[in-house]
Amino acid sequence: MKKLLTIIGFFLTLNTFAQSADDVASALNAGNANKFASYFSNSVNITLPQKPEVKNLSKAEAAAMIQSFFTKNKVSGFERFSDSRQLNDMTYVAGKLKGTQEYNITVVLKSTGNTISVIRVRIF
């Protein structure tokens, strides 16, 4: 019985990760920085083109940085490279941001308890 519950829990976690990754991809596809930022953890690492990684930004600081990037680059869409990949308690979403210029983006989501949130954004 314990084994069965563990297996069911594992599949529910996979489904939750998939839904969260789809929600993040949907926000990126809409070019909606505010919606994308709503998935941020309380501490986020962000790397933008030609800039060093900024670590441990608060959710508000990270949201402001992403909003500025989206506005400056007129982000209007997102094309996923492939299905999200999961490794332990993290899921990776990778694709291409579309706007005045195209950029590759990698988003890392992490499961903490019952919450799945974005902990890293890398745009290059």
Side-chain angles (χ1 to χ4, degrees), residues 76-101:
S76 59
F78 171 73
E79 180 183 331
R80 226 181 214 181
F81 287 149
S82 63
D83 289 337
S84 303
R85 288 176 236 129
Q86 185 175 349
L87 180 64
N88 298 324
D89 61 348
M90 291 190 270
T91 296
Y92 299 83
V93 177
K96 188 172 294 289
L97 281 179
K98 298 182 177 199
T100 52
Q101 189 172 340

Side-chain angles (χ1 to χ4, degrees), residues 3-104:
K3 222 179 213 184
L4 178 63
L5 290 175
T6 301
I7 291 170
I8 290 171
F10 174 74
F11 284 111
L12 288 175
T13 300
L14 285 178
N15 188 40
T16 303
F17 261 130
Q19 183 61 46
S20 295
D22 289 344
D23 292 343
V24 166
S26 178
L28 291 171
N29 192 44
N32 189 333
N34 289 329
K35 182 70 173 171
F36 176 50
S38 73
Y39 298 104
F40 285 1
S41 173
N42 290 328
S43 177
V44 183
N45 297 345
I46 296 182
T47 305
L48 296 177
Q50 279 87 49
K51 295 188 179 180
E53 181 177 28
V54 182
K55 294 185 177 191
N56 300 317
L57 290 167
S58 70
K59 187 173 185 172
E61 291 170 323
M65 185 180 273
I66 289 297
Q67 179 65 52
S68 175
F69 179 84
F70 273 45
T71 300
K72 184 178 179 181
N73 293 285
K74 296 178 177 53
V75 173
S76 59
F78 171 73
E79 180 183 331
R80 226 181 214 181
F81 287 149
S82 63
D83 289 337
S84 303
R85 288 176 236 129
Q86 185 175 349
L87 180 64
N88 298 324
D89 61 348
M90 291 190 270
T91 296
Y92 299 83
V93 177
K96 188 172 294 289
L97 281 179
K98 298 182 177 199
T100 52
Q101 189 172 340
E102 289 189 349
Y103 293 97
N104 291 328

